[in-house]
């Protein structure tokens, strides 16, 4: 089903409008459809190439996606005790799976995305983002509900769980609550690491703080990493890593880091150190206050 044109759109621009601010790219919509879950939009932009929005919110773009995907993956994959079995919830554009599969130690990656249209349009319009993940025999794609997947998964069945969802509204809302995080903790093996995108400390301050606090409560250890995704609200973004048996995501294992670092545009052990240190003062105060 195609959707009516958005009356807030400015000709020649594609914007996410959030809290009175526009985050936009010069470009045009090339495909748009209402899926059973959300409005899926593919655009072509001058600066960042083709990109994807869900319900009018930026998700990814060809020439900018590495800020996000390298940041959500490598602290977890370089820090976990083992990385044989990885679960990615969401991530239907394939970028998170692609970065995970650059680690030779990954034997099986389950990618569970709720919206089949996001997967098929990402494969069709944004093939460089998923890259070789789509044909990698280690990658097993399931189109379905990630929350139900995690609930049904056996205890201690994954080494790493990564939640690459959208903002906490619509289909991603249930990816930000205690019951879901408790299931994620249950399915991690000893030494396992959990990672999630945790919104902007500026544009989504309360969601960001609540997410870090809740993850600390559920896992025992959780730390936000700060970086940039230029087209997201405020451009200032965060990913939070959690583990039950220590903050092992802080220190990349040198062999694993060496296997991927040269192929990264943004991530490096040094960048990661800085990103974990760059906790804004107001976040530090709020987290200390409990
Ligand atoms: N506000 C946007 C949050 C989106 C996080 N997920 C992006 C998907 C990229 N694989």
């Amino acid at each position: 089903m195609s959707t009516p044109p958005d009356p807030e759109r400015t000709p020649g621009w594609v914007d996410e409008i959030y809290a009175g601010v526009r985050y936009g790219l010069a470009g045009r919509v090339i495909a748009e459809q209402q899926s059973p879950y959300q409005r899926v939009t593919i655009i072509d932009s001058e600066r960042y190439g083709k990109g994807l929005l869900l319900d009018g919110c930026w998700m990814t773009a060809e020439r900018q996606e590495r800020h996000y995907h390298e940041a959500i993956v490598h602290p977890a994959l370089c820090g976990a005790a083992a990385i044989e079995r990885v679960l990615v919830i969401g991530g239907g554009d394939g970028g998170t799976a692609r970065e995970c599969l650059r680690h030779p130690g990954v034997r099986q990656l389950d990618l569970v995305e709720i919206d089949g249209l996001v997967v098929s349009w990402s494969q069709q319009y944004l093939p460089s983002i998923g890259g070789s993940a789509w044909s990698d025999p280690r990658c097993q794609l399931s189109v379905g509900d990630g929350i139900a997947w995690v609930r049904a998964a056996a205890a201690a069945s994954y080494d790493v769980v990564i939640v690459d969802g959208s903002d906490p509204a619509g289909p991603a809302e249930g990816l930000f609550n205690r019951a879901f995080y408790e299931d994620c903790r249950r399915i991690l093996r000893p030494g396992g690491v959990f990672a999630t995108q945790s919104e902007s400390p500026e544009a989504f301050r309360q969601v960001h703080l609540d997410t870090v606090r809740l993850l600390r409560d559920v896992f025992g250890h959780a730390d936000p990493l700060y970086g940039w995704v230029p087209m997201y609200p405020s451009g200032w973004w965060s990913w939070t890593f959690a583990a039950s048996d220590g903050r092992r995501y802080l220190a990349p294992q040198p062999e694993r880091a060496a296997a991927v670092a040269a192929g990264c545009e943004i991530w490096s052990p040094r960048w990661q150190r800085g990103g974990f240190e760059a906790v804004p003062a107001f976040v530090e105060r709020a987290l200390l206050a409990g």
Side-chain angles (χ1 to χ4, degrees), residues 16 57-60 68-69 91 93 96 164-167 197 199 204 232-233 237:
E16 172 176 348
C57 299
W58 288 112
M59 293 295 128
T60 195
Y68 180 96
H69 294 125
D93 53 65
T96 292
D164 178 12
S166 42
D167 304 315
Q197 75 90 1
E199 302 287 323
F204 300 94
Y232 284 3
W237 211 253

Side-chain angles (χ1 to χ4, degrees), residues 170-253:
E173 200 167 354
L175 303 177
F176 288 82
N177 68 44
R178 179 179 289 274
F180 175 67
Y181 293 151
E182 281 175 349
D183 272 325
C184 290
R185 180 184 170 195
R186 181 182 58 78
I187 68 173
L188 275 177
R189 290 176 172 157
V193 171
F194 170 86
T196 185
Q197 75 90 1
S198 48
E199 302 287 323
S200 164
E202 199 277 329
F204 300 94
R205 181 181 292 210
Q206 199 55 50
V207 181
H208 174 63
L209 291 172
D210 291 347
T211 302
V212 179
R213 281 197 194 103
L214 186 52
L215 288 170
R216 283 193 175 167
D217 203 42
V218 169
F219 285 84
H221 306 276
D223 289 275
L225 165 79
Y226 296 93
W228 299 268
V229 184
M231 66 201 178
Y232 284 3
S234 86
W236 188 17
W237 211 253
S238 77
W239 301 265
T240 297
F241 299 83
S244 301
D245 48 5
R247 301 160 80 201
R248 51 185 327 128
Y249 43 79
L250 294 181
Q253 297 183 28

Side-chain angles (χ1 to χ4, degrees), residues 31 85 113 286:
R85 278 178 57 85
E113 163 62 52

